[in-house]
Amino acid sequence: MQKELEIRSENKCEFCQSENGLKPFAILPATNNVLEDFVVTCEECTKELSLEIAPNPDKWKNLSDLIWHEADAVKIAMYRILNALKSNTWAQEQLDIIYLNDNLLERAKEGLPIVNDVEHLDCNGVLIQSGDTVTLIKDLKVKGGGFTAKRGTAVRNIKLVQNDPSLIEGKVDGQVIYLLTEFVKK
């Protein structure tokens, strides 16, 4: 199977065409551990496909035509990326014109993250999403942390607290802390 993947991908990331750090990435749920369960990706695309880091909208906008790729695994991965970026008009437009047969669509939807039913808004009412960078608007004493998070501190790659629109999670001074959305701005 490794050889078949190398041939299909031409020894390049099937998304960004990078030739560095390539490895097979399983599109879960796997059907039978066959060729169509895998894509070949570079390290950066692997992180974005697994939503370990927020997908870069500019990068994926240029790759959105991959939804028409001949490999089902690539189509499924693109469907999921477009869903993660659907707040961007271009991604929603691609989702509107996609055709995946019923089995592929079902499989693609199985791997989507659980949708957060609440909106997280910063102090100015701007929508905050997982992976965003926010800035503290005031000094915050961190309970149990023994330090004060200073006003103006950038908190990168935040995570939303499910079903609580007033809380986000982020790292400040190397410690993971919860922040009230009323004290941050995007």
Side-chain angles (χ1 to χ4, degrees):
M1 184 174 59
Q2 179 73 27
K3 203 59 145 166
E4 292 176 52
L5 275 173
E6 289 172 3
I7 292 168
R8 184 181 81 195
S9 69
E10 298 175 351
N11 287 320
K12 296 178 184 172
C13 174
E14 292 187 88
F15 300 95
C16 71
Q17 301 300 301
S18 171
E19 296 179 4
N20 300 322
L22 299 178
K23 61 182 176 181
F25 177 79
I27 301 299
L28 300 174
T31 52
N32 293 314
N33 204 30
V34 294
L35 181 65
E36 284 305 314
D37 289 338
F38 295 90
V39 291
V40 175
T41 61
C42 64
E43 187 175 330
E44 186 71 20
C45 287
T46 298
K47 289 178 181 178
E48 291 182 69
L49 287 168
S50 63
L51 300 179
E52 185 180 317
I53 62 172
N56 177 340
D58 294 329
K59 168 186 170 179
W60 293 101
K61 181 178 183 178
N62 292 329
L63 300 174
S64 63
D65 284 346
L66 287 173
I67 196 64
W68 308 110
H69 196 279
E70 71 270 1
D72 289 346
V74 174
K75 291 178 192 175
I76 290 169
M78 284 305 302
Y79 180 87
R80 292 175 182 172
I81 284 289
L82 290 170
N83 262 283
L85 296 170
K86 68 183 175 185
S87 62
N88 295 281
T89 305
W90 63 266
Q92 186 59 57
E93 287 171 355
Q94 285 291 76
L95 286 168
D96 291 343
I97 63 170
I98 276 176
Y99 173 76
L100 297 176
N101 68 40
D102 292 340
N103 292 335
L104 278 182
L105 185 58
E106 182 179 321
R107 189 168 167 217
K109 286 182 177 180
E110 281 182 55
L112 290 175
I114 297 170
V115 176
N116 189 7
D117 291 338
V118 296
E119 288 186 338
H120 289 70
L121 304 175
D122 73 359
C123 65
N124 296 319
V126 176
L127 182 66
I128 304 171
Q129 297 180 342
S130 194
D132 282 347
T133 297
V134 296
T135 305
L136 300 180
I137 63 165
K138 66 180 271 183
D139 290 352
L140 300 172
K141 184 171 170 106
V142 179
K143 294 179 182 176
F147 69 96
T148 299
K150 297 292 184 189
R151 177 176 167 228
T153 300
V155 183
R156 291 174 174 70
N157 201 19
I158 63 160
K159 294 180 182 173
L160 305 179
V161 175
Q162 297 294 319
N163 301 319
D164 188 343
S166 67
L167 286 176
I168 60 172
E169 182 182 318
K171 258 189 183 178
V172 175
D173 289 341
Q175 292 187 26
V176 176
I177 63 171
Y178 289 97
L179 298 163
L180 290 171
T181 56
E182 67 187 275
F183 299 126
V184 300
K185 68 178 180 177
K186 189 168 174 180

